[in-house]
Amino acid sequence: MNQNSQPTRQDFNQYMVPVFAPAQFIPVRGEGSRLWDQQGKEYIDFAGGIAVNALGHAHPVAVNALVEQGQKLWHIGNGYTNEPVLALAKQLVDNTFADKVFFCNSGAEANEAALKLARKVGLLSGSARKNKIIAFKNAFHGRTLFTVTAGGQPKYSQDFAPLPEGIQHLPFNDLDAVREAIDADTCAVIVEPIQGEGGVITANPEFLKGLRELCDQHGAVLIFDEVQTGVGRTGALYAYMNTDVTPDILTTAKALGGGFPIGAMITTDKYANMFVVGDHGTTYGGNPLASAVANAVFGLINTPEVLNGVRTRAQIFADGLNQLNARYGLFEEVRGQGLLIGCVLKAEYAGKAKDIVTLAGEEGLLALVAGPNVVRFTPSLIIPEADIEAGLQRFERALARFVGA
């Protein structure tokens, strides 16, 4: 590639390790819930960078925070603390069950920290055997070797054996299976309140309550992976707030920085204080740039106006998608919570979700899959209602083409 020429999609194939298969167009600019590619074609964004761009693209609140902090202090390493990270930690503690926060760069790292802490809790219990972790089939917790093993999708882990041991996968929403498996050697249960990558499947309230009781009974920590459901996505600040269940450890990332990479593990003093200096760490985690942006993003989302607006928008989506389904009959159901939406394909269209998403892109709509059978939408939490309507019209054109194909 000539140093002065415009990069092309072919450059991806030439220079990038082939672990992704991106769309054929390259977005170059975004504003709100609209994007433009190299050719100037406009798209409506229902993907939100996979539940990340909670305020859309180039939101002034996030941009101003980034520019302002960028002129002050970027990075100092973990031998020092900084003002933005302390302000952000206080926001998280003041607005959740937690007493303490560990910052990192991603959801996978947040889950890695949570699972390592759980193992330390088990060790300090006095039993050297208390290291078993219960996780769930179809779960997704990240791509490190530990978190990809905790995830219940063998396709992501089977090529990288030998995998970390002591992790057992049980059917999601099956409390009896957990009751049978959990014992004195269990140090943790890790669960998503809504399985995002696994197909947008919501945990039953009774299931989560049962997990809480079983963890208490057996001295295990309950970890909620809220990487995708957190920071307003479900219409509550965190999805656990929609239930009567409070976890011991919660992981958050994606929307936390509104597009700037940041993750966090939050927990109570009881467990946080089982880590000591040197037990865990990160070079970039909690750096001033990420923390300043996350501070601004979190503060804006954690308002009644935005959180209530999520519920209003979710209803507009539900009504529009149900109308489309009445017309085209492609979906078994439309499920999810807030602006984490899954359109589940009927059995006769199994495996075709990616085809629909590709057609949507051609029609000027960014969408996602959640497995081979579910079309997923995770738009900006403040997407204008007019963009929802226009995006659904583009989605309809894609569905019409799919049915006619």
Side-chain angles (χ1 to χ4, degrees), residues 118-292:
R119 285 267 169 92
K120 183 83 188 278
V121 171
L123 182 69
L124 293 178
S125 72
S127 167
R129 293 194 314 275
K130 195 173 182 66
N131 54 33
K132 192 168 83 177
I133 294 164
I134 290 175
F136 296 96
K137 293 177 181 176
N138 288 320
F140 186 88
H141 298 299
R143 300 284 197 155
T144 66
L145 207 55
F146 199 176
T147 58
V148 84
T149 307
Q153 301 187 51
K155 64 181 177 182
Y156 293 135
S157 60
Q158 62 197 10
D159 292 349
F160 309 107
L163 301 170
E165 296 179 350
I167 300 171
Q168 184 177 6
H169 295 97
L170 303 175
F172 190 62
N173 274 328
D174 187 342
L175 194 57
D176 288 337
V178 182
R179 200 173 279 121
E180 204 169 304
I182 197 169
D183 58 26
D185 293 341
T186 305
C187 70
V189 175
I190 184 168
V191 65
E192 298 160 278
I194 303 173
Q195 287 192 330
E197 304 299 322
V200 191
I201 305 165
T202 302
N204 298 329
E206 301 73 26
F207 176 64
L208 295 178
K209 280 183 196 167
L211 292 183
R212 177 72 279 173
E213 288 163 13
L214 289 168
C215 283
D216 290 341
Q217 200 178 318
H218 294 275
V221 295
L222 180 59
I223 303 168
F224 271 20
D225 176 341
E226 291 229 35
V227 170
Q228 190 156 168
T229 55
V231 198
R233 178 61 48 191
T234 65
L237 185 62
Y238 285 97
Y240 83 86
M241 296 171 177
N242 294 323
T243 73
D244 293 325
V245 178
T246 302
D248 299 307
I249 301 173
L250 181 147
T251 56
T252 179
K254 286 193 182 289
L256 182 60
F260 202 103
I262 186 170
M265 175 194 75
I266 67 174
T267 187
T268 59
D269 279 328
K270 175 181 178 181
Y271 298 110
N273 294 331
M274 293 186 185
F275 263 165
V276 297
V277 173
D279 268 356
H280 194 53
T282 165
T283 296
Y284 293 115
N287 77 80
L289 277 180
S291 300

Side-chain angles (χ1 to χ4, degrees), residues 317-327 334:
F317 265 103
D319 292 344
L321 289 168
N322 287 329
Q323 283 170 21
L324 290 182
N325 205 31
R327 214 165 295 153
V334 176

Side-chain angles (χ1 to χ4, degrees), residues 86 101 204 330 352:
L86 297 176
V101 187
N204 298 329
L330 290 171
K352 301 282 191 182

Side-chain angles (χ1 to χ4, degrees), residues 76-90:
I76 44 174
N78 51 34
Y80 314 89
T81 190
N82 65 79
E83 290 181 347
V85 79
L86 297 176
L88 180 58
K90 185 176 190 307

Side-chain angles (χ1 to χ4, degrees), residues 1-8 11 14-15 38:
M1 183 176 75
N2 185 303
Q3 209 59 30
N4 301 315
S5 67
Q6 186 182 44
T8 69
D11 292 329
Q14 185 171 349
Y15 300 116
Q38 288 174 318

